[in-house]
Amino acid sequence: MPTSPSTTEANQKDSKLVCVFCASRDSPDQAYNEAANSLGRELAKAGYGLVYGGGSCGLMGRVARSVHENNGDVLGITPHALTSIEGATGIGRTLLVDSMHDRKSMMNDYAMAFIALPGGFGTLEELLEITTWSMLSIHSKPVIVLNTNGYYNALRDLTKNAVKAGFIHGDNSEIIVYCDTPQEAVAAITKYSTPKNRYDLNWTSPQPM
Amino acid sequence: MPTSPSTTEANQKDSKLVCVFCASRDSPDQAYNEAANSLGRELAKAGYGLVYGGGSCGLMGRVARSVHENNGDVLGITPHALTSIEGATGIGRTLLVDSMHDRKSMMNDYAMAFIALPGGFGTLEELLEITTWSMLSIHSKPVIVLNTNGYYNALRDLTKNAVKAGFIHGDNSEIIVYCDTPQEAVAAITKYSTPKNRYDLNWTSPQPM
Ligand SMILES: [Mg+2]
């Protein structure tokens, strides 16, 4: 049953929510599915809750169920239009919003850190958006990749090329931290240090995103 | 001088605007800089105008100047907060908006096609966002990568991995068309055929993005 927690109520409960981006499908390769199960367990064991795009399918559903089963708080934020394909079945609390933009903006508000597991175009876009927002000083939160099977090595290569080509400067290439295991990914949350030489911008608009 | 064209006025002029994503810095590798100059020229020669993130710096500035010098229409859409780093110097018409989201939403409204040149995290995010929006049936417009120096080969590899891992399905992996030269990229606009098996979603909200 979708609920609309007031901001105060939400802030009280959500002080340690981690936002996870990942596929809304399972993989034929069990390594990815197991990484999702394991990440959820490790997050809950370390006292973190989950804020995510909602739904019960695929890797997203696995992370959510695993956090929930290990007594972690779960908040799913889903646009109405996506409930037909991602499954609206609530795991923990579900918040229905109108747009993709509202979803992302709220996930950013609630999260204290971001972890990306393997996924498709949507997952990659979410990861890069939150990386760009860090580069632009919209947030200073940890951005962590769970690099199961070296899935994101190609992104690392692309980043190296971009530095060489002069398109990513200073320590911005270090915004994303790559971890091999769920344990390392969760430990990276507290170890993370935000790169120092990002743009220092003044977002006077109430809605920078 | 920033202008705010009325929607009617804009629609009349902007029927053939192509949205270009790329770096707001020049590269030490002239191949990238020349690809930007050349793309602008080829777009204008083929009768296209440009809608872009605004500014006069780097590859973005090159594309805009090149379209403008070849008598193409140029519309830049820039958030206030970014004018300090990307340069607000108008090439053609400039539209100042409040947020990154307004910028992207308007670029999508004005564009009939999207071309990504090499760039950093921001460029990659824009490319993947527009790819995801196509996957979700928010638009059906051409999404083209100008793959100078094989810059985006790593993204192609990541996409192949994602298909193999089961995270990108059907013909969604064909949403992005890779081209080696500016001429091919411009020709790809009319040759493009939208993949048939994307999600068929109902975006009843006025603001799906
Ligand atoms: Mg985005």
Side-chain angles (χ1 to χ4, degrees):
Chain A
M1 188 69 186
T3 54
S4 297
S6 74
T7 307
T8 320
E9 188 192 330
N11 284 345
Q12 280 166 358
K13 272 199 87 172
D14 301 340
S15 50
K16 282 188 77 178
L17 292 186
V18 173
C19 181
V20 174
F21 306 128
C22 59
S24 58
R25 303 179 185 261
D26 272 338
S27 178
D29 185 333
Q30 292 305 322
Y32 299 120
N33 304 335
E34 280 159 21
N37 296 338
S38 170
L39 179 69
R41 195 169 52 241
E42 295 298 325
L43 282 171
K45 271 170 52 186
Y48 297 107
L50 172 73
V51 57
Y52 78 125
S56 56
C57 301
L59 269 53
M60 294 209 313
R62 285 175 182 271
V63 175
R65 272 189 302 276
S66 183
V67 170
H68 193 65
E69 284 163 8
N70 289 279
N71 303 311
D73 184 24
V74 174
L75 175 63
I77 302 175
T78 309
H80 293 276
L82 286 188
T83 54
S84 61
I85 57 165
E86 289 182 0
T89 320
I91 297 168
R93 297 176 289 149
T94 301
L95 197 51
L96 290 180
V97 294
D98 284 337
S99 69
M100 296 293 272
H101 177 248
D102 287 348
R103 174 200 250 182
K104 286 178 172 173
S105 170
M106 292 196 66
M107 291 201 297
N108 182 45
D109 288 346
Y110 282 114
M112 59 160 295
F114 303 90
I115 300 179
L117 269 76
F121 289 129
T123 302
L124 194 52
E125 188 271 335
E126 287 173 305
L127 168 61
L128 286 161
E129 182 162 79
I130 222 64
T131 302
T132 305
W133 289 0
S134 173
M135 197 177 69
L136 297 173
S137 304
I138 294 173
H139 75 81
S140 305
K141 301 168 185 175
V143 180
I144 297 156
V145 154
L146 177 44
N147 196 22
T148 308
N149 278 1
Y151 185 86
Y152 282 111
N153 286 351
L155 177 61
R156 222 176 196 168
D157 293 344
L158 193 53
T159 304
K160 278 180 202 155
N161 280 348
V163 171
K164 210 184 299 171
F167 302 138
I168 296 178
H169 273 234
D171 50 10
N172 282 331
S173 64
E174 293 157 33
I175 292 173
I176 301 177
V177 168
Y178 294 79
C179 297
D180 291 329
T181 67
Q183 290 81 350
E184 284 173 48
V186 172
I189 298 171
T190 47
K191 278 196 263 177
Y192 189 86
S193 83
T194 310
K196 295 286 166 284
N197 297 315
R198 303 171 309 154
Y199 293 120
D200 186 18
L201 297 176
N202 181 19
W203 291 97
T204 46
S205 157
Q207 270 205 314
M209 286 87 72
Chain B
M1 188 69 188
T3 54
S4 297
S6 76
T7 309
T8 322
E9 189 192 332
N11 284 345
Q12 280 167 356
K13 274 200 85 173
D14 302 340
S15 49
K16 282 188 75 179
L17 291 187
V18 172
C19 181
V20 174
F21 305 128
C22 59
S24 59
R25 303 180 185 261
D26 273 337
S27 179
D29 185 335
Q30 292 305 323
Y32 298 120
N33 303 334
E34 280 159 20
N37 295 339
S38 170
L39 180 69
R41 195 167 52 240
E42 295 298 323
L43 282 171
K45 270 171 52 185
Y48 297 107
L50 172 73
V51 57
Y52 78 124
S56 56
C57 302
L59 269 54
M60 293 209 314
R62 286 175 180 271
V63 176
R65 273 189 302 276
S66 183
V67 170
H68 193 64
E69 284 163 9
N70 289 278
N71 303 312
D73 184 24
V74 174
L75 175 61
I77 302 176
T78 309
H80 293 276
L82 285 189
T83 54
S84 61
I85 56 163
E86 289 181 1
T89 320
I91 297 167
R93 296 177 290 151
T94 302
L95 197 52
L96 290 181
V97 294
D98 283 338
S99 69
M100 298 292 273
H101 178 250
D102 287 350
R103 174 200 249 181
K104 286 178 172 172
S105 170
M106 293 197 67
M107 292 200 298
N108 181 45
D109 288 347
Y110 282 114
M112 58 161 295
F114 303 90
I115 300 179
L117 269 75
F121 289 129
T123 302
L124 194 53
E125 188 271 335
E126 287 174 306
L127 168 61
L128 286 161
E129 182 162 78
I130 222 64
T131 303
T132 305
W133 288 0
S134 173
M135 195 177 71
L136 297 174
S137 304
I138 294 172
H139 74 83
S140 305
K141 301 168 185 176
V143 180
I144 297 157
V145 154
L146 176 45
N147 195 23
T148 307
N149 278 0
Y151 185 86
Y152 282 111
N153 286 351
L155 178 60
R156 222 176 196 166
D157 293 345
L158 192 54
T159 304
K160 278 180 201 154
N161 280 350
V163 171
K164 209 182 299 171
F167 302 139
I168 295 179
H169 273 235
D171 50 11
N172 282 332
S173 64
E174 293 157 33
I175 290 173
I176 301 178
V177 168
Y178 293 79
C179 297
D180 291 329
T181 67
Q183 290 82 351
E184 284 172 49
V186 172
I189 297 171
T190 47
K191 279 196 262 176
Y192 189 87
S193 84
T194 309
K196 296 285 168 283
N197 298 316
R198 302 171 309 154
Y199 293 121
D200 185 19
L201 297 177
N202 181 19
W203 291 99
T204 46
S205 156
Q207 270 206 315
M209 285 88 72

